[in-house]
Amino acid sequence: MTAHANYSLRDEIRDYWSERAETFDLQVGHEIFSERERAAWHALITKHLGPGAGRASLDLACGTGVISHLMHDLGFVVTGLDWSEAMLAKARAKAQKRGADIRFIVRDAERTLEDKASYDVIVTRHLVWTLVDPKTAFAEWFSLLKPGGKLLVIDGDFVSRNWAMSLREVWEKLTAGKSRVLDSDASMARRHQSILARVYFSGGARAEEIARLLAEAGLEQPVVDWKLGAIHRAQARQMSWPKALERATQHRFAICATKPQ
């Protein structure tokens, strides 16, 4: 972490995720590890956004391109946007391997510099909880949508504690002797907590608050979808039981909202 006077929280967030890029796809919930999970994601996207049919889509904070590739599978013309070159290098390598024609660009999801009214749909997974200024970001996303276009936000409150989180922590302490925690992992965890304490949703991203802010930005009929069980059950097959239980009990959701015609 640099001490440069112009080094902002947004820079910290970019650099943190850039350093995570090398191992990002090893974690369940980032990359997809089964066709069952892939099918569940396809179903969720189609439910809210409909068929791709060559429509223009923007995957904000695309990371290594997981959602971008899901959108491409469904027939969308996809642009993946991320601020981390390291993440995009992974995304482009996947696209080259699959022969997928996906446009990946280095941009800030809160200030995209993309043309106004140029996208039929926008999708973002696990970005909103990291936003420094969601009101500005949502206004930006509203401007990028064509009239009648849809925004799909997939996110959650990963901060608020519940009994399942406490159980998972106890289980990890009891089994800590079976695995060694590296100093680098501990350092990254501290950086994550430091960043989390300073973002807008530092107390946890709650669906009701996000839906309210989306409506304030001009998007109509924000609909909260809590039915993500098919995705979580598929992911649980790749997790320890305490982590799977914690994920199943967290405040996770999808929100779909529409730009007026």
Side-chain angles (χ1 to χ4, degrees):
M1 184 182 300
T2 180
H4 194 284
N6 293 324
Y7 189 75
S8 69
L9 173 56
R10 294 153 67 85
D11 295 322
E12 284 189 55
I13 292 170
R14 178 199 61 213
D15 292 349
Y16 171 82
W17 289 109
S18 291
E19 291 183 40
R20 292 281 306 275
E22 188 61 34
T23 59
F24 186 81
D25 284 341
L26 300 178
Q27 185 173 341
V28 178
H30 292 168
E31 183 55 276
I32 293 171
F33 292 94
S34 71
E35 290 307 309
R36 180 177 178 178
E37 182 183 353
R38 191 180 311 280
W41 278 109
H42 284 158
L44 177 70
I45 293 167
T46 302
K47 173 182 177 181
H48 292 289
L49 301 181
R55 291 186 294 151
S57 69
L58 176 62
D59 177 15
L60 287 164
C62 67
T64 62
V66 175
I67 299 298
S68 296
H69 283 278
L70 291 171
M71 300 291 286
H72 185 266
D73 293 344
L74 296 171
F76 289 93
V77 175
V78 184
T79 293
L81 178 154
D82 202 278
W83 211 7
S84 166
E85 279 279 16
M87 288 284 190
L88 289 178
K90 298 284 187 181
R92 292 187 181 111
K94 290 181 189 179
Q96 183 175 15
K97 183 176 181 179
R98 295 184 63 214
D101 184 16
I102 300 175
R103 171 185 177 236
F104 289 109
I105 56 175
V106 181
R107 303 277 176 79
D108 180 355
E110 295 186 30
R111 303 182 186 119
T112 67
L113 304 179
E114 287 291 273
D115 293 337
K116 306 305 182 187
S118 57
Y119 289 100
D120 296 292
V121 302
I122 296 174
V123 62
T124 178
R125 180 182 70 160
H126 301 170
L127 163 65
V128 169
W129 73 273
T130 72
L131 291 176
V132 176
D133 185 357
K135 293 183 179 180
T136 297
F138 294 166
E140 168 78 358
W141 304 352
F142 179 91
S143 75
L144 299 180
L145 285 170
K146 299 176 183 178
K150 292 184 178 294
L151 168 67
L152 178 62
V153 172
I154 303 155
D155 225 289
D157 176 358
F158 312 122
V159 178
S160 298
R161 298 187 62 82
N162 65 10
W163 62 271
M165 182 184 290
S166 299
L167 178 63
R168 188 261 303 163
E169 290 173 346
V170 170
W171 181 83
E172 288 181 347
K173 287 180 181 179
L174 292 174
T175 59
K178 299 179 181 179
S179 60
R180 185 167 59 91
V181 177
L182 300 176
D183 290 342
S184 58
D185 293 336
S187 175
M188 290 297 280
R190 288 192 295 272
R191 287 176 63 187
H192 181 272
Q193 288 301 316
S194 173
I195 289 169
L196 179 59
R198 290 174 287 153
V199 296
Y200 183 93
F201 293 108
S202 59
R206 308 295 290 187
E208 299 81 1
E209 173 69 0
I210 293 171
R212 182 184 67 79
L213 292 173
L214 291 174
E216 285 184 3
L219 291 153
E220 293 183 331
Q221 301 174 333
V223 175
V224 180
D225 185 354
W226 303 101
K227 297 179 180 179
L228 308 185
I231 294 170
H232 296 157
R233 286 191 294 274
Q235 293 174 344
R237 291 170 175 257
Q238 312 295 327
M239 296 175 164
S240 66
W241 67 265
K243 287 185 179 180
L245 184 61
E246 179 182 15
R247 179 153 304 195
T249 58
Q250 282 178 321
H251 182 89
R252 291 174 177 256
F253 51 84
I255 304 175
C256 188
T258 304
K259 182 172 181 174
Q261 291 281 358

